[in-house]
Each structure stands twice: as structure tokens, then as C-alpha cells.
């Protein structure tokens, strides 16, 4: 059975910067959770950041990407450590796909905040998403659950095709 890495906040865990969650009560996630597929993670907690914590956004300075709080504090090391810890969890569980929180400086897959703390977002990916993708893990966001489910079917179909001793459900 394929395991799926999921942002802890999407599962209702209060790990976000403001102490809240972003529970995604979607039937696809509910089914995957009942099947025991989900591996929960919060890269920012794994990197050593507390709850609550100041909000942070990705910033680009001279071509280098940094993660900073609104007062300019550089928290890039926490995000980098969290990404590495999340990749280690994914590898330990044999994860090939993830569903992560869009917009996050860690987990954003298509869009991230623009670094101005104005609420604007720009195309881009967070620190953890970038590392997971570089290591062959396909990342979806909570708005792409149908595409994620299709990819899971594809993964399991190819797994059965390459291992004829397994049977289809």
C-alpha cells in the first residue's frame, strides 16, 4: 500500500504559525486516513520552530532564497532543517507522493507569499516541496486532491504490473 505524506495542519493539527490548523475535511483524505496511508508532518515544527511563531515568507535576495519573518529575522535554517527532516520521514515510509499546504513557505507547491507580508502570492514552491521534488516525490496541494488520487491509482497500478504476485483490489 502506498503511503502519502500530508501536512499536519490539513489533518486538523494546531501546528500553524498562529497556533491554528487548516483542516481539510475532504472525502479523499478521510478515506486515505481510514486506510492507514497518511504520514503526517509539519516541516516547520520538525525544523525546530515553536507554535505559535511569527509568520514567515520566502524572499529572494540577489538570486538567493531566504525565509524571513516580517521584522527581517532570517529563519531559513529552521526551514532547511525541517525540509531535510521531512524528506527523511518520507524515505523511511517509502513515500512517493505528498499533499501539502498551498501558500506555505515550507509546503507551497504552486504558489507562495511574495515576501512582502502584504497577502500577495506569486508562483513558486516552498522549501520542503522543492527538496521533495528534487528527490522524486510528487507534491500536490490540498486543492488538487482529485489529481493526487489519480496519481495514487497510477502508482498502485504500476506497482501491481511490476509485481504480478500482488492482486488488484
Amino acid at each position: 500500500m502506498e503511503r502519502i505524506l500530508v501536512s499536519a495542519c490539513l489533518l486538523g493539527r494546531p501546528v500553524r504559525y498562529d497556533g491554528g490548523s487548516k483542516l481539510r475535511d475532504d472525502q479523499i483524505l478521510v478515506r486515505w486516513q481510514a486506510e492507514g496511508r497518511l504520514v503526517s508532518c509539519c516541516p516547520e515544527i520538525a525544523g525546530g520552530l515553536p507554535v505559535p511563531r511569527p509568520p514567515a515568507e520566502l524572499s529572494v535576495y540577489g538570486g538567493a532564497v531566504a525565509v524571513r519573518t516580517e521584522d527581517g529575522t532570517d529563519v531559513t535554517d529552521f526551514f532547511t532543517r525541517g525540509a531535510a527532516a521531512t524528506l527523511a520521514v518520507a524515505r523511511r515510509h517509502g513515500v512517493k507522493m505528498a499533499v501539502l499546504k498551498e501558500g506555505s513557505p515550507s509546503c507551497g507547491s504552486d504558489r507562495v507569499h511574495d515576501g512582502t507580508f502584504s497577502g500577495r502570492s506569486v508562483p513558486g514552491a516552498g522549501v520542503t516541496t522543492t527538496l521533495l521534488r528534487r528527490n522524486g516525490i510528487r507534491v500536490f496541494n490540498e486543492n488538487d486532491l482529485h489529481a493526487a488520487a489519480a496519481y495514487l491509482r497510477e502508482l498502485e497500478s504500476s506497482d501491481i504490473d511490476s509485481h504480478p504476485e500482488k492482486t488488484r483490489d
Side-chain angles (χ1 to χ4, degrees):
M1 173 176 52
E2 294 291 338
R3 303 294 303 271
I4 304 161
L5 190 71
V6 177
S7 293
C9 64
L10 295 176
L11 299 176
R13 296 195 176 85
V15 295
R16 287 178 44 87
Y17 73 92
D18 60 2
S21 73
K22 285 289 186 176
L23 177 63
R24 182 65 182 214
D25 191 23
D26 185 279
Q27 288 305 309
I28 293 171
L29 281 178
V30 169
R31 183 178 72 244
W32 289 346
Q33 190 164 30
E35 293 170 351
R37 294 181 182 275
L38 301 185
V39 177
S40 174
C41 71
C42 176
E44 295 169 25
I45 300 299
L49 289 169
V51 176
R53 58 188 170 274
E57 295 186 4
L58 291 174
S59 302
V60 179
Y61 295 97
V65 175
V67 185
R68 299 185 189 282
T69 63
E70 194 168 12
D71 71 4
T73 302
D74 188 331
V75 291
T76 306
D77 287 344
F78 292 104
F79 282 75
T80 302
R81 280 196 304 265
T86 301
L87 176 60
V89 168
R91 285 180 171 162
R92 188 168 53 250
H93 290 280
V95 165
K96 297 176 187 164
M97 65 180 286
V99 175
L100 303 180
K101 179 68 187 106
E102 187 65 283
S104 160
S106 289
C107 299
S109 60
D110 294 324
R111 300 197 66 76
V112 293
H113 292 283
D114 69 0
T116 65
F117 295 88
S118 63
R120 288 189 304 249
S121 65
V122 294
V127 176
T128 298
T129 293
T130 300
L131 183 63
L132 293 176
R133 285 177 172 163
R134 286 182 182 156
N135 284 274
I137 297 171
R138 181 105 176 249
V139 179
F140 299 88
N141 65 57
E142 74 275 18
N143 302 313
D144 290 333
L145 289 173
H146 290 286
Y151 184 67
L152 177 62
R153 286 189 299 275
E154 181 182 315
L155 282 175
E156 292 187 330
S157 175
S158 69
D159 187 45
I160 289 170
D161 293 342
S162 64
H163 296 92
E165 70 278 6
K166 294 185 179 183
T167 59
R168 295 185 193 268
D169 292 334

